[in-house]
Amino acid sequence: MVLGTTSGAGKSWLTTALCRHYARQGLKVAPFKAQNMSNNARVVEGVGGEGEGAGAMSAWGEIGSAQYFQALAARAVPDVRMNPLLLKPEADTHSQVVLMGQVSAELTAMPWRGRSEKVWPQIATALDALRAENDVVVIEGAGSPAEINLHASDIVNMRVARHAQARCLLVTDIDRGGAFAHLYGTWALLSEDERALIAGFVLNKFRGDAALLAPAPQMLQALTGVPTVATIPMQWHHGLPEEDGVFDDRSTAAGAVHTTVAVIAYPRISNLDEYQPLKNVPGLRLQWVRSPADVAGLRPNDWIVLPGSKATAADLAWLRTQGLDQSIAAHAGRGGTVLGVCGGLQMLGEALIDPEGIDGNGPGLGLLPLVTVFEPAKTVRRTSAAFGQLTGAWAPLSGVLAEGYEIHHGQTAQHPAMAAKGDVAREVMPGIAWQNPAGNVLGVYLHGLFEDAAVLHALFGAQAPTLEAVFDGLADGVARHFGPGVLDALIA
């Protein structure tokens, strides 16, 4: 199990690397994270209901993107048991609760601490099933295991570790400073039986000469009995999508910049990880936008992207408050390239209509003559479809077969009154994608476009590093930086 002293310490990264490391040993490997809080989600196989047999797979469900990538690194088929509880923040104090891949209205309405005993049996069952089916399960913790205010209701850190009697690594971000205090303080706040499960400390994101760390690791081991088993260097270009935030500006791709892709980073942005391949395309600059100043100077061949949102109406209101609605309209008016994905597609239309109180009503940006109606039923599915004939900036996608996934409440269609007057969006993928007559604005429900090699090549004539290459690079790194025999001993 990989625990961290803080969020952002490197738990997801290290778990992914270990999944590929053990898979390359010929072992059957699966990832697991009991509870994830993220609006970055993927569509995976769901668990069958009653009468379909234990462990049977059916339909689709949602898990956190980190566990999806960890499953691919493990060379396993992703399924909902790998992340049985997913919390998708919709406001600062409210999250949609997804249990075993499906939205649970009952759990969403329940107080935070009241959920733990309700969901623990299904979490434990999912973990036990994965342990029974695999040689190795690599478990990721959440935040810190030393959040003593949450310990009594813990279902993701030490309760999981005790249940599985997992050998635990505790990783810290040494670049932030205070790493040894973080490690010691976390260890000290655990109970004796929990401390006994800590097999090693890991210093992550180190810059400099590792020899200068002495004698701190030896002093820490004298205090705790726990050795420091790895010092992992800072890596700006590891190629794995970021889970918790937008990409660091220092990770811009190399080469002379020919196109800027400006992605609107509204407060409830979702599935931002799908833009990772763009920052690996030579000559492409990926920029995160929060104000009109961020898009000043964009050329018509540069893109503005409205990504997915977990609260479309609220993020659209935020966008207007910032004045970005005018910036987007001005860019489109100059013939600039605009893309809306999922919630971004909904924003590009004329109106959001919410008769059930799902998301919120509001006028759209009016760049596509479409209207979206929110419905209680959520569309969650993998999708493969070919683009029809497109024009303008998006013409290279004509006829391209794209694979991705859909996660949305709204259903979008032509605006009836505008269509009656002949103002119709060109439907270039039935029920999924629409283009404006001028050819510069495209809206799609399909997530994952830029992870599709055919789409990436059609648009840029380039190919980003494959995920397989990324996973192998991560595994090579842990093999180099862990002490001899440490990784074997964790699963002995």
Side-chain angles (χ1 to χ4, degrees):
M1 184 170 185
V2 179
L3 301 166
T5 56
T6 61
S7 293
K11 296 184 294 293
S12 296
W13 180 95
L14 183 54
T15 301
T16 307
L18 292 176
C19 282
R20 175 50 58 98
H21 171 81
Y22 290 123
R24 293 204 303 192
Q25 314 307 310
L27 300 167
K28 188 177 181 184
V29 182
F32 180 82
K33 185 170 184 174
Q35 174 181 285
N36 199 348
M37 178 176 280
S38 178
N39 276 332
N40 298 327
R42 294 298 171 117
V43 177
V44 301
E45 290 185 343
V47 176
E50 294 181 9
E52 297 186 27
M57 294 294 159
S58 69
W60 302 105
E62 297 179 67
I63 64 171
S65 291
Q67 283 64 63
Y68 171 82
F69 288 112
Q70 288 161 6
L72 298 185
R75 297 177 176 149
V77 176
D79 76 63
V80 295
R81 297 174 299 171
M82 296 169 179
N83 175 209
L85 192 65
L86 174 62
L87 309 180
K88 305 186 77 173
E90 296 178 318
D92 288 344
T93 58
H94 177 77
S95 295
Q96 183 185 68
V97 179
V98 179
L99 179 64
M100 296 302 288
Q102 304 301 315
V103 174
S104 171
E106 176 190 0
L107 293 174
T108 298
M110 188 176 292
W112 181 286
R113 285 184 169 85
R115 292 187 198 128
S116 59
E117 293 309 313
K118 184 90 173 172
V119 300
W120 173 253
Q122 293 189 67
I123 288 172
T125 298
L127 175 56
D128 290 344
L130 291 174
R131 293 174 65 203
E133 296 170 15
N134 293 275
D135 300 314
V136 180
V137 176
V138 186
I139 305 169
E140 180 185 343
S144 162
E147 303 289 0
I148 54 178
N149 58 313
L150 300 176
H151 191 273
S153 56
D154 171 44
I155 54 171
V156 64
N157 285 310
M158 299 316 296
R159 186 171 187 178
V160 173
R162 293 195 307 270
H163 180 83
Q165 284 299 290
R167 294 183 177 94
C168 300
L169 297 173
L170 181 61
V171 60
T172 193
D173 177 357
I174 195 170
D175 192 54
R176 294 185 177 185
F180 294 104
H182 284 156
L183 290 169
Y184 179 77
T186 302
W187 175 88
L189 286 172
L190 299 179
S191 62
E192 288 289 345
D193 62 324
E194 292 170 344
R195 291 178 191 173
L197 298 175
I198 306 297
F201 296 140
V202 176
L203 300 171
N204 190 29
K205 305 182 185 180
F206 180 71
R207 293 188 277 183
D209 181 359
L212 298 178
L213 293 171
Q218 294 77 14
M219 295 171 67
L220 186 62
Q221 184 170 356
L223 289 168
T224 64
V226 179
T228 297
V229 294
T231 300
I232 300 174
M234 176 69 77
Q235 299 179 64
W236 298 116
H237 297 280
H238 55 69
L240 196 67
E242 302 289 340
E243 182 185 17
D244 296 322
V246 296
F247 306 121
D248 194 296
D249 290 338
R250 289 168 287 189
S251 59
T252 301
V257 174
H258 57 71
T259 305
T260 294
V261 177
V263 183
I264 309 296
Y266 20 71
R268 299 300 167 195
I269 186 174
S270 67
N271 296 77
L272 61 88
D273 54 299
E274 65 181 304
Y275 302 103
Q276 164 72 31
L278 292 181
K279 79 180 185 73
N280 295 329
V281 174
L284 204 66
R285 181 166 69 105
L286 187 63
Q287 176 184 352
W288 298 97
V289 171
R290 295 184 177 89
S291 73
D294 295 332
V295 295
L298 287 184
R299 302 160 300 172
N301 67 298
D302 294 326
W303 296 17
I304 290 180
V305 178
L306 284 73
S309 167
K310 192 64 189 70
T312 304
D315 277 348
L316 181 54
W318 172 89
L319 187 149
R320 284 197 165 94
T321 299
Q322 302 300 112
L324 281 165
D325 56 332
Q326 299 175 42
S327 299
I328 296 166
H331 184 69
R334 292 190 296 267
T337 307
V338 177
L339 173 67
V341 178
C342 198
L345 154 67
Q346 296 169 348
M347 293 181 193
L348 290 176
E350 291 290 331
L352 306 175
I353 300 174
D354 189 13
E356 303 288 341
I358 304 300
D359 192 291
N361 297 291
L365 298 175
L367 295 181
L368 290 171
L370 303 171
V371 61
T372 296
V373 178
F374 292 108
E375 300 175 352
K378 192 175 189 180
T379 299
V380 178
R381 64 190 176 201
R382 299 286 305 179
T383 301
S384 177
F387 282 100
Q389 187 64 42
L390 291 96
T391 60
W394 303 105
L397 289 178
S398 299
V400 173
L401 178 66
E403 295 188 1
Y405 56 101
E406 296 178 62
I407 307 177
H408 55 92
H409 277 286
Q411 298 300 321
T412 299
Q414 302 285 349
H415 190 291
M418 298 180 72
K421 296 179 180 179
D423 190 358
V424 178
R426 300 180 65 249
E427 192 170 15
V428 293
M429 190 180 283
I432 298 175
W434 295 264
Q435 183 182 32
N436 68 336
N440 61 315
V441 179
L442 177 67
V444 299
Y445 266 125
L446 196 63
H447 286 289
L449 276 179
F450 304 116
E451 295 169 342
D452 188 301
V455 170
L456 209 60
H457 187 268
L459 289 171
F460 304 108
Q463 183 173 343
T466 66
L467 282 173
E468 284 298 300
V470 169
F471 296 146
D472 284 336
L474 298 181
D476 289 342
V478 296
R480 284 195 305 271
H481 299 299
F482 273 79
V486 169
L487 296 180
D488 289 339
L490 290 173
I491 62 169

